[in-house]
Amino acid sequence: MAGADGDDSLYPIAVLIDELRNEDVQLRLNSIKKLSTIALALGVERTRTELLPFLTDTIYDEDEVLLALAEQLGNFTMLVGGPEYVHCLLPPLESLATVEETVVRDKAVESLRKISQEHSPVDLEVHFEPLVKRLASGDWFTSRTSACGLFSVCYPRVSSTVKAEIRQHFRTLCSDDTPMVRRAAASKLGEFAKVLELDYVKSDIISLFTALASDEQDSVRLLAVEACVSIATLLPQEDLETLVMPTLRQAAEDKSWRVRYMVADKFSELQKAVGPEITKNDLVPAFQNLLKDCEAEVRAAAANKVKEFCENLPEDNREQIIMTHILPCVKELVSDTNQHVKSALASVIMGLSTILGKDNTIEHLLPLFLAQLKDECPEVRLNIISNLDCVNEVIGIRQLSQSLLPAIVELAEDAKWRVRLAIIEYMPLLAGQLGVEFFDEKLNTLCMAWLIDHVYAIREAATCNLMKLVEKFGAEWAQNTIVPKVLGMANDPNYLHRMTTLFCINVIVHCCGYPYREITTKQMLPVVLKMSNDQVANVRFNVAKSLQKIGPVLDSNALQTEVKPVLEKLASDTDMDVKYFAQEAISVLALA
């Protein structure tokens, strides 16, 4: 490659060499991202004989350059001549799989896993499997961690002799001296178990699982919990009790909260994997303990799973288990000292109503919902409000309105404006659940009151809320219920409220549009035109903006005879902003 100067065909590689040696990292990165173009220019043979050896020899660079290279090589199969030559990509990827930076190694492993599928069974044994062995027995822990992610992709496609070697290598890595390697092995244990024959799962994997689940490092033990889900799904029911449950029980009571957290986080998956009988005898008491755990993180993770856990209980005695064992724990969590725990519970507790039915919901759950609606933490209250539809389906709107709506109305008038804001955001959702009649009776007044709130963010949100309500209930409802109240605000002594009238008109016009042109022309347009004489410049330039929005809905007669004269008057206003917006409206509506 040294004689590149005199040979045009070597030019792409010469440019690449120059760019890869450039001091500017960005240039080096760009050249790596152009690798496929360079490979196409060189052709498959020269890519194999020149480009790949060059790349393999120059793997000493910034991490981001190496990361880009590891990613590129995963898509290089056709550029080296197809599956027959795919093994040529192994040397550079092997080097990348041993570097210090984790993200680069992970990307190299991802690319190796991808191209392993493109090797024929023969090539897999001749080229790929030796690479896995070299990585597995490398001096540096980096190469051994990378090997852990490659066993499962080659195991199903090699001969039984090679399979035995792979199993042995995996066993060795599970008891490696370096915690990082054991961690990598533990994270791939479930995946490896899935490709093994059942006999080997029982003889090899279970003993490895037990050892990793009792490792001195909690970061290894918690990954073994993750593997437990995969292993449990592979074993026949009769073997679970003896082979998996002792280890799982131990993990649920582990001295490290991180391991218990992982058990709580994976609880629904574990429950499905072990089946109803073991769930009833073993998992119910374990779940109770996790809900009462001394660490808030564990209680929050378990609280998050309450609904799923209850849904997956065996139907024949689901209600009895929930009422006797789960609900007492849930009642305690409602007044937990940690807001994340209460918030996690609030996001799922409403779902229990569909499982427990109307009577239990009214008697046992409603008091809990009310307590959470009055919680000092806004997130807890919002999680309850956003899931009201579940309860509405079970107990009906009458019961819901008597029990929960007073609490919602109280929040809607809360002294903290952020709480009011959050309630406004849920109003369209509530409206959909409660229906138009109920909404008009109980909540409409609130929505109108927000339009004249002293905080701008509330007025703005209330305007958006109005738009969503009109979209939900329709233009006829808007005409009868909303429009008269909005237009009434045009005479308010506070100019901020007069401006809100304009903002509301803009959104109502946007929702009602052409089919209800008459509402716009007969009711709303005269009010907007009258406001063009307002004393406050801010109101006048918002009139110009509103006319620009209303214009497209009006017929040409109204535009010419009513809108144009007002905009022309505003275009010669003494205020610069009023002039500007009026001229803009004139040109947009093509009234010049």
Side-chain angles (χ1 to χ4, degrees), residues 58-280:
T58 53
I59 296 183
Y60 310 104
D61 205 329
E62 300 282 338
D63 294 331
E64 53 187 322
V65 177
L66 297 182
L67 182 65
L69 178 58
E71 188 171 11
Q72 290 280 317
L73 291 174
N75 305 312
F76 243 60
T77 306
M78 297 321 293
L79 297 170
V80 293
E84 194 185 337
Y85 295 101
V86 72
H87 59 84
C88 298
L89 296 171
L90 298 179
L93 281 170
E94 182 177 352
S95 299
L96 288 163
T98 63
V99 301
E100 203 173 328
E101 178 52 52
T102 311
V103 287
V104 176
R105 289 202 308 276
D106 289 349
K107 186 57 77 177
V109 169
E110 193 184 308
S111 290
L112 282 166
R113 284 167 70 98
K114 194 173 178 182
I115 65 172
S116 71
Q117 308 305 320
E118 290 161 343
H119 282 69
S120 66
V122 174
D123 281 349
L124 204 67
E125 284 202 18
V126 174
H127 300 287
F128 197 88
E129 204 270 334
L131 170 147
V132 178
K133 275 194 215 163
R134 284 194 299 277
L135 288 173
S137 48
D139 292 336
W140 285 94
F141 81 88
T142 52
S143 73
R144 302 200 298 280
T145 57
S146 291
C148 295
L150 298 172
F151 292 118
S152 60
V153 289
C154 55
Y155 187 88
R157 298 174 59 215
V158 292
S159 63
S160 51
T161 321
V162 178
K163 279 183 175 177
E165 289 176 20
I166 290 176
R167 288 196 303 276
Q168 183 51 51
H169 276 297
F170 192 79
R171 269 199 299 276
T172 308
L173 293 179
C174 283
S175 54
D176 196 277
D177 291 339
T178 312
M180 277 83 91
V181 178
R182 299 200 301 280
R183 204 153 54 219
S187 72
K188 299 297 177 190
L189 184 66
E191 180 184 286
F192 189 48
K194 285 179 183 172
V195 299
L196 255 61
E197 299 79 359
L198 184 58
D199 287 349
Y200 291 121
V201 172
K202 290 183 186 179
S203 61
D204 287 25
I205 294 292
I206 294 297
S207 58
L208 297 175
F209 165 59
T210 311
L212 290 166
S214 340
D215 194 275
E216 62 188 36
Q217 297 273 334
D218 63 355
S219 58
V220 175
R221 297 200 301 277
L222 66 86
L223 289 166
V225 172
E226 216 165 329
C228 184
V229 178
S230 305
I231 295 166
T233 52
L234 299 170
L235 292 171
Q237 193 67 33
E238 62 271 16
D239 290 327
L240 286 174
E241 186 56 57
T242 51
L243 299 179
V244 173
M245 287 316 295
T247 310
L248 182 54
R249 280 189 210 105
Q250 176 192 314
E253 295 171 1
D254 197 280
K255 63 179 187 289
S256 164
W257 72 267
R258 293 168 67 200
V259 178
R260 300 195 305 276
Y261 174 90
M262 185 59 93
V263 175
D265 193 48
K266 298 284 170 195
F267 216 86
S268 308
E269 294 164 57
L270 289 165
Q271 186 186 4
K272 285 176 188 165
V274 299
E277 208 50 44
I278 292 178
T279 292
K280 206 160 45 181

Side-chain angles (χ1 to χ4, degrees), residues 484-505:
K485 292 178 182 175
V486 165
L487 298 183
M489 286 160 52
N491 301 316
D492 195 291
N494 186 330
Y495 86 95
L496 294 171
H497 300 169
R498 299 200 295 276
M499 273 171 36
T500 304
T501 300
L502 294 169
F503 300 150
C504 292
I505 287 172

